[in-house]
Structure formats: C-alpha cells, structure tokens
C-alpha cells in the first residue's frame, strides 16, 4: 500500500485532509446483517472461505496502516550541514581559503579551518539531538495484535492480523487488542472495550449486538481498531481494515500536516538575510572603491573577501545550538523528551497547552498507593504501600490477618492476569520476563517498574501488581495463579 499523501499536490493534500476532518460516516453498524454478509461475501457461522479471503486480500490489501515516507539518515545529516546559515559559513570558509590561495596568509587559513570545524561540529550536534524521529506511526502499529483468532472455512484458526480482510469473523477475549473495525455479532454480558486511545474516554464502554446510535463512535455494536477488551468476549465481523478504520483516518490526518518554520528559525533566517546583504554590499563597495583608487586587483579582492567574512557572525550557529542542547538536556531531567532542538524555543514561547487526559497526560495505568483494612480493634486504617507516591515507604503490616484477607479478595475477585512472556525474534521462542526492574529516571532517582503486563481492567491490574509480591512475602504463595488454582470453583 502506497503512502496516502504521496505524489499529491498541495491542493489535493488539503482537500484530502479536509475530508478526513469530517465526522466518520459508516453504515455497516446499522445495515441488516443479511445485507451486510451478502455484500462481504461471508457466512456468520463459517466465516470466509479460503478462496474468498484471498480474493478480498488481493482487492483490499493488507490490514495495516500506511507508513509515512521516511527520510534516509544521510539526507537528514546533509540537511543539518546545509542550512541557510551553515551555507553562509561554508561560503565564508571557502572565501578564506581563496584568500589564502591568492595571498598566502596563515590567518586566513586558520580562520577557514575554524569555520569549517564550527559548521561540522554544530551540524553533528543538531543531527544527534534530532535523530530521535517521530514515533507516531510506530505507536499506531503497536495497537495491532500480532495474531488473531478467526473463523474460516468453518474452523477456528490463528492468522497474522495484517492478513485480516473484510468479512472475516473474529473471536475476541479479555485482554485482546481489536485488530480491525468490527461489528459485534454476539458477546458476553460483561463485554466492554477501552476506547481511551480513540476518544479519550477512560471508562470501559459496554458492547452489545444492537445498533444504539446513528453516530459511529456512540453506537454499542462496533469495536474499533486499536482499542482493547478489558472484560468479556465477543464474536465480530470485520467491516473496515487498514487506513479505512477510524484510527486509520486519525493516523492519516496526523501525517497530513506539513512542518512549519519555528519562530527562532524564522528570526535567524531573517537575521542572516540582513547580515548577508550588508556584508555583500559593503564588500562590493570597498572592492569598487579600491579599484577606483588604482589598488592591485588581487589585493582588492582579498580585502573584499575579508570584509564579507568579518561581517559573518561565526559564533552564532554554535551558540544557538549549544544553548538549545543544554536546555533540552535540562528539560530531560524534568521528564520532557525533546525530539527537535528548535522545538525548545517554541515550547518556551507557549503560554497555554490544551490537552485531554487519558492517553495524553496519563497512560491509563493505575497503581495501588494505599490500602484500607481493620485489624484487632475493628477500626479502619489507611496504610501506605511502597509506591512512588509514598517515596517507597510502606506502613501496612504484611503479617496482619486482615491484610491477608484483603490480598485474597483482591486476587480472587479479579479477572485480570499477567502477560509474562515476550517472543524472541531470533529464536521464535517465548522468554519469561522478570516481574520488575529498576528504572533510572531523568532526575537521577531510581524507581521499581513492573515489567509484566496486566491484561484486563486497569483498576484490577493495579490490584494484582500489588498482590503478586505481597502474596510471596505474606503467605508464601508463588504468584496469583497459584492462589487462584488453590481456590478454584
């Protein structure tokens, strides 16, 4: 699949972006199932046949988002070395070497070498800082599960999510990522989806097999690509794939914006134009005056080059680059990642930032900060856990019977579980991850970070993250699964 905006004129790109900004229009959620299955050439019980699936795959392409056009690293490096101001300094350096060639003077040679070194070093600085390329599309790719359970030819099978096509019947369970836009055919009573990555809504949204609203984002019988199933299970019909999905439209719209000059970039470019004009005018004027007075042409030319080079602020590029780099480093200690040096100045000019919460300012990841239980005298007490909120200090008693009951309740009355393994790309084998690791923060402090991924509701996930190590310490139980097996109904 080619890039959605590749090869388009500016007017065509703007027209396409305008279309993408409009509300999503779909009819698949309100159509009769018989009509929809006939249109998609599928069967609600047996799914697609292999032949029809292949036909649809050839017609509609892969179920993946179109990647943005990538710029090779060497092109980015050349761009850093050939900015307008860099070209001015390169030109000044060349002029110094020309002067040295005409009239051998060591000062001109040294100045030319210094100018070349300044441009090279500052260019390398800028490239090293700016090479942290935009990971937007990689984040969208992470929303797609690697394997999906589908029904084809009447049999359940696992297929790569990129091979999904229109008309496939998909089976989803708790913890799964939705691999495409689906219409719910049937589901469990507790079936819900986490739409926070799409709408910013932090509460899980109930799903059922009835159309409840004309608005695509409000109806209860659609599940969207990139969302998660924290609870329940369902059987769904694929109605949109790839760039045609709702998240695909958002990704395409995000990639349609053109990069604009930052305020500091505009100011420096304006300043360089003025300095260049003054330097060239002065140089030519003195060259003409020198010739008019009968001076040697070679001496006059070297004098003109000297005037032009003298008017070039050689230290400006290095000063700006170093200042922005130091500021970026200082912001990093405050947990701010700067992807573009010029963005530092832009952020400094910002007076107001408007943002939603879940998925932008927060990650929809919860932590148990305090526990409440009654012990001995039946009075409820609030106790701190060893979280970042209490600076790693805990006040609960791990030997308390009431605390033991709390652990059992938070583990057994909980449908969340851990994803403990990752697949090694080289060997293809699953490797067990450590439960937690120590992570160094930008301000120099260290915190413990849970490596295992809780699958399910965020609140229940926080409970098992807290209960897992506490069970080992308090009850001598290896993990939450052992406790659940001992108390299986």
């Amino acid at each position: 699949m080619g890039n959605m905006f590749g090869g388009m004129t500016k007017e065509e790109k703007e027209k396409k972006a305008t279309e993408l900004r409009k509300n999503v229009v779909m009819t698949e959620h309100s159509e009769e199932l018989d009509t929809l299955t006939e249109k998609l050439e599928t069967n609600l019980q047996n799914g697609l046949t292999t032949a029809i699936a292949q036909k649809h795959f050839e017609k509609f392409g892969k179920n993946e988002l179109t990647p943005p056009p990538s710029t090779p690293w060497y092109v980015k490096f050349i761009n850093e070395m050939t900015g307008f101001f860099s070209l001015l300094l390169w030109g000044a350096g060349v002029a110094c070497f020309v002067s040295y060639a005409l009239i051998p003077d060591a000062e001109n040679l040294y100045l030319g070498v210094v100018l070349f070194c300044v441009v090279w070093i500052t260019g390398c600085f800028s490239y090293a800082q700016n090479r942290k390329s935009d990971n937007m599309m990689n984040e969208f790719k992470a929303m797609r599960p690697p394997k999906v359970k589908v029904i084809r030819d009447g049999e359940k099978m696992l297929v790569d999510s990129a091979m999904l096509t229109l008309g496939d019947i998909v089976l989803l369970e708790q913890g799964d990522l939705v691999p495409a836009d689906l219409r719910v055919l049937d589901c469990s009573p507790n079936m819900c989806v986490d739409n926070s990555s799409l709408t910013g809504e932090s509460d899980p949204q109930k799903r059922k097999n009835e159309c409840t609203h004309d608005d695509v984002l409000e109806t209860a019988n659609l599940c969207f690509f990139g969302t998660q199933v924290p609870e329940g299970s369902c059987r769904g019909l694929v109605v949109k794939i790839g760039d045609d999905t709702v998240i695909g439209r958002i990704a395409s719209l995000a990639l349609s914006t053109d990069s604009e000059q930052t305020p500091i970039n505009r100011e420096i470019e304006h300043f360089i134009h003025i300095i260049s004009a003054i330097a060239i005018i002065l140089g030519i004027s003195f060259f003409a005056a020198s010739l008019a007075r009968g001076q040697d042409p070679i001496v006059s030319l070297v004098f003109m080059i000297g005037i032009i080079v003298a008017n070039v602020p050689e230290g400006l590029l290095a000063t700006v680059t170093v200042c922005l780099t130091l500021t970026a480093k200082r912001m990093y200690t405050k947990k701010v990642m700067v992807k573009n040096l010029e963005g530092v100045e832009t952020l400094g000019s910002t007076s107001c930032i408007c943002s939603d919460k879940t998925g932008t300012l927060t990650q929809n990841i919860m932590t148990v900060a305090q526990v409440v239980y009654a012990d001995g005298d039946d009075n409820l007490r609030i106790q701190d856990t060893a979280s970042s909120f209490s600076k790693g200090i805990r006040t609960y008693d791990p030997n308390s019977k009431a605390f033991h009951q709390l652990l059992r309740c938070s583990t057994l009355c909980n449908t969340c579980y851990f994803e403990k393994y990752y697949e090694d790309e080289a060997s293809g084998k699953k490797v067990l991850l450590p439960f937690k690791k120590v992570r160094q923060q930008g301000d120099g402090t260290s915190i413990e970070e849970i490596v295992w991924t809780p699958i399910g509701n965020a609140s229940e996930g926080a409970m098992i993250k807290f209960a897992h190590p506490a069970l080992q310490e308090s009850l001598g139980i290896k993990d939450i699964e052992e406790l659940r097996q001992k108390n299986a109904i």
Side-chain angles (χ1 to χ4, degrees), residues 430-445:
K430 286 192 173 183
V431 181
L432 179 64
L433 294 164
F435 176 67
K436 58 185 177 182
K437 67 178 181 180
V438 176
R439 180 168 65 86
Q440 193 82 9
Q441 299 190 106
D443 58 3
T445 60

Side-chain angles (χ1 to χ4, degrees), residues 408-441:
R408 291 171 60 86
C409 180
S410 62
T411 303
L412 299 176
C413 301
N414 191 323
T415 60
C416 199
Y417 62 93
F418 284 119
E419 178 58 60
K420 310 175 186 179
Y421 301 90
Y422 80 96
E423 187 171 330
D424 184 50
E425 294 182 359
S427 63
K429 296 180 180 179
K430 286 192 173 183
V431 181
L432 179 64
L433 294 164
F435 176 67
K436 58 185 177 182
K437 67 178 181 180
V438 176
R439 180 168 65 86
Q440 193 82 9
Q441 299 190 106

Side-chain angles (χ1 to χ4, degrees), residues 2-20 66 69 243 252-253 255-258:
N3 183 265
M4 179 173 284
F5 292 87
M8 289 187 178
T9 63
K10 187 175 182 180
E11 292 75 15
E12 289 173 335
K13 286 183 180 179
E14 185 59 37
K15 184 179 179 181
K16 186 68 178 180
T18 302
E19 291 177 5
L20 290 170
T66 303
D243 290 330
S252 300
L253 183 59
L255 294 171
S256 69
T257 56
D258 294 325

